[in-house]
Amino acid sequence: MDKNRKNIMMISYIMFGYMGIAFLSQGSLKLEMAESFGITTSKLQYLFTVFSTASMITVIANKVFLERVPLKLEVILSSIFILVGTFFMILTKNVNIFMTGLILSGFGIGVYISLGSYLIINTFSEDRNGKLNFLHFSYSISAVVTPIIAAALIGINLSWDKVYMTLLTLVGVIIFLALKTNFSNIIHGEDEENSSQSVIWDLKVYLSAAMLFLYVFTEMIFSYWIVEYMITKGAYGGEAKISLSIFWLFIAVGRLIAGKLGHKFSVINMVITLLGIAFISYFILIFVQGIWIIYIFVGLLGFGFSSLYPSIVALGTEGRKNISPSLMTFIMTSGSVGGIMYSPISGWVSGHFNVALTMGMGIITTILMLSISLFLKFRRI
């Protein structure tokens, strides 16, 4: 592998690694953040809707950026937005300034969401599903480590804003690598150039996008509310945060396995198998009692969720050597909408009912994903 391809791969992996930090820190540090601003976790959840909305807007706008803005410049500018936005968030106790920081950070993360996958897909046409699984493996690893680091640092009386500052190193590394990388060899695919596909997207693209929406919606609900849910089950703060690390540890293991062995299985069969494991695990963990037994099914759920995101993306782009900015934007936007919708919906359900019912919404969305995947399997779309 030449130096540029290796740098592009590292930039993509680190982008997704920082995304894991950005999203998971919202769940693992939400109690401390809400306390510092004097608001409830449900109200804080509504503030995070701003972050998700900003990221979705940028995912959509990135279609234009990919066509008109040099990739090197796009990587650097998005990283600067994240740095500036994070400093706005951590250097204030004013909710409005905090929201401004969330918006700026969301803009940068939105570019990371679509650009990381786009760089991998259009740089490595060989074993696309494997490369995408390794890409999301980096997200999983940071998601495993973030709650552990957060629990340890909070445990020694470090404030949440100082914890945030320690997590910005990866953004600096991305800027450094981008300055040393030549992106000119990346091919921007066009739908018309894919001989095996027509310009009009087939039904599989739209159903894959629907599944990605449901997956992100479900993952975000679980990641944000599992800590609070564990506390209602009698766990202490540190024990509750560990559940989030267990979840992402098993996702990381599953993605590592899929990256190594995924090419031996069809994408649709992998999706169906993982969704079956996820549904059974999710259903059981909602109804069992005891911290350790919940840990077990949290881990199994993580394994079931492990390769779903990259496999769904691979399913939607299956049969295409390169993909256009339009198709990439459409699929990534679907996931981003799920990342937005979970926030006000889960916040409302939690505020009016309870955390257990909020978590239970994930069972319904998992059933919907399984139904779509079975439809794709047996209709041979």
Side-chain angles (χ1 to χ4, degrees), residues 32-39 89 92-95 98 160:
E32 292 79 14
M33 295 170 74
E35 182 180 357
S36 72
F37 285 100
I39 58 178
M89 291 168 57
T92 183
K93 296 300 180 184
N94 183 286
V95 172
F98 179 78
W160 72 266

Side-chain angles (χ1 to χ4, degrees), residues 128 194 196-197 204 314 317-321:
R128 179 175 293 167
N194 293 289
S196 63
Q197 301 285 347
K204 182 169 67 175
T317 61
E318 200 171 29
R320 300 170 185 264
K321 183 178 180 181

Side-chain angles (χ1 to χ4, degrees), residues 13 103 164 171 184 206 337 366 378:
Y13 288 180
I103 292 171
Y164 246 86
V171 180
S184 61
Y206 294 102
V337 172
T366 304
F378 293 110

Side-chain angles (χ1 to χ4, degrees), residues 152-312:
L153 295 179
I154 292 296
I156 60 173
N157 297 321
L158 210 61
S159 61
W160 72 266
D161 50 344
K162 290 185 174 62
V163 175
Y164 246 86
M165 287 186 66
T166 65
L167 304 176
L168 286 175
T169 308
L170 292 179
V171 180
V173 174
I174 290 171
I175 294 175
F176 174 76
L177 287 174
L179 291 171
K180 297 176 59 178
T181 303
N182 180 4
F183 295 88
S184 61
N185 291 328
I186 294 180
I187 301 171
H188 295 276
E190 296 297 335
D191 289 331
E192 295 86 349
E193 296 173 359
N194 293 289
S195 58
S196 63
Q197 301 285 347
S198 62
V199 176
I200 299 175
W201 300 332
D202 54 32
L203 184 57
K204 182 169 67 175
V205 171
Y206 294 102
L207 291 180
S208 297
M211 289 177 65
L212 200 65
F213 164 82
L214 291 168
Y215 171 75
V216 175
F217 182 90
T218 309
E219 179 198 288
M220 294 299 290
I221 281 180
F222 188 88
S223 296
Y224 187 86
W225 293 103
I226 183 58
V227 172
E228 193 166 340
Y229 176 74
M230 290 293 293
I231 290 175
T232 66
K233 291 290 186 176
Y236 296 104
E239 291 177 329
K241 286 181 171 63
I242 290 299
S243 65
L244 193 55
S245 291
I246 292 172
F247 176 67
W248 283 101
L249 175 61
F250 276 81
I251 284 184
V253 170
R255 285 175 175 170
L256 182 61
I257 293 173
K260 291 286 188 181
L261 304 176
H263 63 281
K264 297 180 180 294
F265 308 94
S266 68
V267 177
I268 187 64
N269 286 341
M270 183 180 296
V271 170
I272 291 172
T273 301
L274 291 174
L275 281 170
I277 295 171
F279 168 68
I280 294 171
S281 304
Y282 209 145
F283 185 83
I284 293 175
L285 78 84
I286 290 296
F287 294 100
V288 297
Q289 298 293 326
I291 303 302
W292 288 100
I293 192 69
I294 292 176
Y295 281 165
I296 291 172
F297 287 101
V298 165
L300 289 174
L301 177 63
F303 186 80
F305 275 6
S306 61
S307 185
L308 284 181
Y309 192 110
S311 294
I312 291 170

Side-chain angles (χ1 to χ4, degrees), residues 11-70:
I11 288 170
S12 300
Y13 288 180
I14 297 172
M15 279 182 173
F16 267 62
Y18 183 77
M19 281 166 49
I21 291 173
F23 285 111
L24 268 294
S25 58
Q26 294 177 6
S28 57
L29 295 173
K30 69 173 184 175
L31 296 175
E32 292 79 14
M33 295 170 74
E35 182 180 357
S36 72
F37 285 100
I39 58 178
T40 65
T41 55
S42 295
K43 290 182 179 179
L44 181 65
Q45 179 65 79
Y46 290 120
L47 292 181
F48 285 137
T49 304
V50 174
F51 175 84
S52 302
T53 303
S55 67
M56 189 200 71
I57 290 172
T58 316
V59 168
I60 296 172
N62 204 35
K63 174 187 180 297
V64 178
F65 299 156
L66 286 170
E67 294 171 340
R68 300 183 182 181
V69 179

